[in-house]
Amino acid sequence: MKRTAKQADDAGHFRRDWLSVLVPAAGALAAVYLIAAPLAMLIYAAFRGPADFLPFEDGAQWTLDNVIAVFTDPIMLGRVLPDTLIFVAGTVTLTTLMAMVLAWIVERTDLAARNVWFAIIIFPTLAPIVVKAIAWILLMSPNAGWANLALRGLFGWSGEGPINIFSMPGLILCQALATTPFVFLQLSAALRSMNPMLEEASRGAGASPFTTFRKVTLPVLLPGLLAPIILVTLITFEQFELPLIVGLPARINVFAFRIYNELNPASGLPNYGGAAAISLPFLALGLLALVAYNYAIRHADKFVTVTGKAFAQKRLPLGRWRIPAYAFMTIYVALSAVLPVGILVWTSFFGFTPPGKATWADATLAGYASFFSNPVFWRAVFNSFLVAGLSALIVTLLGGLIAWIVVRSKAPGRGLLDALTFMSLGIPAVIAALAVMVLYLSLPIGVYGTVWILVIAYSYRLATATRLSRATIMQVHKELEEASEAAGARWLTTQARILLPLLAPGLMSAFLLLFIIGMREFTIPFVLYSQDNVVLSVLIWQLFQGGQPAHSAALGTLMLLMVAPIIFFARRFLVARGSGD
Amino acid sequence: MLKRTLGAAVAALVYTLAPAMADWRDGPAVKALYEKAKAEGVAVVWGPQRGEVEWLAKAVPEAFPGVAVEFVGDNDVVTRAIAEARGGRHQIDMLWNSVTASVPVAQRNLLAAVDWKALDVPDPQTAFNGQMLYANKVLYSVAYDPKKVKAEDLPRTWDGYLDPKFKGKLAASLFLLPRLTGGLALAWGEEKALQFARDLVNTQDALLTRAPRETFVESGERLLAFGEIENTYRRHALEGKIFGVSIPEPVVMVQFGSTVMAKAPHPNAGRLVAAWLATPEGRAARRKHTGSIDYDTTSQEPFAREMHEGKVQVVFDTPENMEQRDAAIRKATPIVAGRAQ
């Protein structure tokens, strides 16, 4: 029977409506599953015992023993919690100071070659922290560290030091060097957008650049500093690599490593319930910090001087502060980027023989040559790109979908969905790994130990993609979509042909950022490590731990060479340079 | 007490090979097992350190063409193996570990019982009702740079390293030091051993790390790598890195062996490698590829003879005392890691 035009139109509309419900619903369910399911299993496991049983295992029963053990453990209260808080507080303070000074020098002064400095400052974000940690140990070990040897030789000092990386200050310094680029990016963007009128008035009154910075720039920016400070608190809170490699020799115990110890005790069975119980208070702290972060970013715009008027960015002459500024910049990039990379490359050819004691005859390519015939290397390369790329793709697409639901739809519960995805920012990586581990050990579907568990575990970071996509969608007036639907296009066609092209730059930014984070990730693949899912960051650590520093350094160098081109490509999408440069 | 520079020791190694190899591989049971293993093509071996198992990737195909070895060396290999089995993933054929460290996998019923005698293993020494086959003994030692340290300046006993002159000079493993403490607990009693660990950490300011200690000795950051497995430095000697090794008393000797997983994906290859490691041929291959010395009771090595003749105090872990050692390890670990006093 032929249908009438109206009946055909109704059928098409019916199909369109279903898609506009089905696709977002599927995306929302996937997002909820990726975040909520592992967390729910983790919380459940905390209240199940005995501690080495999985929550659904035969014989497991409800218990408060795990939680009581955590809150009455004198070591947890007397060592782990204070160590963690001191580590976080020290890192946040030093990071904020360094990032603020760097951002101000780069964005507000007449520093030469600003673009080069900018690129060098953010370059270390590419390298896995495990690579930098090994280099920093070689550089700053108290007795034989190259920096200490140079300083003692220069000033004629005896004994050890003056820098001791194996101490709380040493750990804080390393963490701050690793974290500063992230805060620098945010602060430099804020400074670039800030109207310089107030600073010009200060200079016009005769104040020096430093006085202007101290009395004008800093107070204006201070409210807007809260968000990056909280963000670096979250980042530091979840740190695992540096406490493992640098902190443990100093007998500093942070909570991330405490959780790992429960999963890998000195002897005996893994303590899943105990690890889950330890996670609870730290998960709560992370989420509290996240609430504060959310509050901060909602209110920061009240204090910024960005207006709709265009302005010319006038730069402060450094004058007599030029030398101190260059000295600071040089020391920072030396410690954070140049020396670690240099040491890495040197060690890959010469092992531990320091410059000055090695000859060209000592150089060897053995570290590099060994990889190309090693199937484990190729497996790690493949796994790294697969996991980082696929998880970034999944998160980017889901993030875009959720952003559409939150901004465009009237779906009930979209506020909760938004809150849930944002909450993922406050979940430390070690807890995410533990939660996924407990979930997929309880669901023996053969995912555990494969590369797919890493893809799933990495895919909880929905906050980044959601936030970036939201910002872009909000800039696109819904009239465009409405016009498309009025012309008869189905929902999916409208999204694909109208909204997606406009969202593409934002989605690409999210994808690249998540890809970089995925490539350098260490905690999750280390906790979930198995023979088949080894990635480059874990292999670097295993080679170093296995007594092959030259091979470890060679692999670190190769990894940087593989990923470095991405930063130059990514900069076009992630960083928009201001006018007037 | 044994003190020597391992370069010379490696050069002096002598081992026999051909007659034992022909005998064991010619047995009909072994031949049949080899054919099945070849059909499987690979044995997946996990061990506590890379150096303990890496050599198998070269040695096994030499001895058994057509059988490859894939390996994982990781301090946390036991807990990972348990987690994999729980997750329904069975990719390990053989675990290589100490008898004490193998207790958790035995407790979870993850091991296969193998009739080692049927595989012509001569006089098989086993644990866990035949599930573990002993193959090698290792000693704890102190390694040093012979260009910076004189052997005669080192103490004869473990507690001699509590002398203030060694303060700030020691690097030790977060993984091995508790296990050394567990061994010393068998000789000294638990309390004295734990106090020894506390003194090393708190008074002697030993650098505790998961990084390889020899790198700290090589770089000059610390003078002595304390509580190390002696075989590690024999392997380095083969690579041209010469360290001195001192073995203080009481000598802490640990039994290592192979276990085959109950759900091994390549069970025949696993059994073949496990059995081979305990034969004279397997031991000879270990000596060839790793430089290690055989400390078995039949060994003709001078220091092995001294130990087995009772001229040196030796502490040896057995299934009978492994619970006592394990208890001391559990208490020592948080002390060493700074999580307990």
Side-chain angles (χ1 to χ4, degrees), chain A residues 5 16 50 57 134 148 155 159 178 190 287 380 439 484 519:
Chain A
R16 184 171 66 240
E57 201 165 341
I134 293 169
N148 285 313
F155 295 105
L287 294 176
L439 177 63
S484 173
M519 283 298 290

Side-chain angles (χ1 to χ4, degrees), chain B residues 13-41:
Chain B
L13 281 177
V14 173
Y15 58 88
T16 59
L17 188 61
M21 182 170 78
D23 290 342
W24 191 68
R25 287 199 307 180
D26 286 344
V30 177
K31 279 185 175 177
L33 182 63
Y34 176 31
E35 289 305 314
K36 292 178 187 173
K38 255 199 305 190
E40 290 170 353

Side-chain angles (χ1 to χ4, degrees), chain A residues 472-516:
Chain A
T472 311
I473 291 177
M474 286 168 77
Q475 292 172 350
V476 177
H477 203 287
K478 60 182 178 179
E479 282 177 347
L480 295 174
E481 294 165 75
E482 288 171 352
S484 173
E485 290 185 4
R490 298 176 188 175
W491 178 85
L492 204 57
T493 305
T494 299
Q495 305 309 313
R497 293 179 126 185
I498 304 297
L499 195 59
L500 197 57
L502 295 170
L503 280 184
L507 290 178
M508 181 60 80
S509 298
F511 176 84
L512 285 169
L513 191 59
L514 289 162
F515 179 80
I516 291 171

Side-chain angles (χ1 to χ4, degrees), chain A residues 79-89 237 253-255 282:
Chain A
R79 291 296 299 270
V80 177
L81 195 57
D83 278 359
T84 304
L85 292 176
I86 292 170
F87 170 54
V88 171
F237 197 53
N253 284 268
V254 300
F255 97 94
F282 293 100

Side-chain angles (χ1 to χ4, degrees), chain A residues 108-234:
Chain A
R108 281 299 209 227
T109 71
D110 61 349
L111 179 80
R114 281 182 296 280
N115 284 348
V116 176
W117 286 108
F118 187 97
I120 295 175
I121 290 169
I122 63 172
F123 172 74
T125 54
L126 275 183
I129 294 182
V130 65
V131 168
K132 291 183 279 194
I134 293 169
W136 283 326
I137 286 175
L138 290 170
L139 191 62
M140 294 187 279
S141 295
N143 289 309
W146 297 1
N148 285 313
L149 288 173
L151 286 169
R152 291 202 296 266
L154 192 64
F155 295 105
W157 294 331
S158 61
E160 65 175 38
I163 307 169
N164 181 7
I165 192 175
F166 301 120
S167 61
M168 182 62 87
L171 178 63
I172 287 171
L173 172 64
C174 291
Q175 188 61 57
L177 289 171
T179 317
T180 293
F182 297 100
V183 183
F184 167 78
L185 272 176
Q186 294 185 60
L187 292 180
S188 64
L191 282 169
R192 210 179 304 127
S193 308
M194 197 173 108
N195 195 319
M197 262 191 335
L198 294 174
E199 290 167 316
E200 285 173 12
S202 171
R203 286 199 303 276
S208 70
F210 181 63
T211 303
T212 300
F213 170 79
R214 194 165 49 89
K215 292 192 169 182
V216 177
T217 312
L218 197 56
V220 169
L221 274 185
L222 205 54
L225 275 178
L226 199 55
I229 285 175
I230 296 172
L231 185 64
V232 76
T233 302
L234 286 168

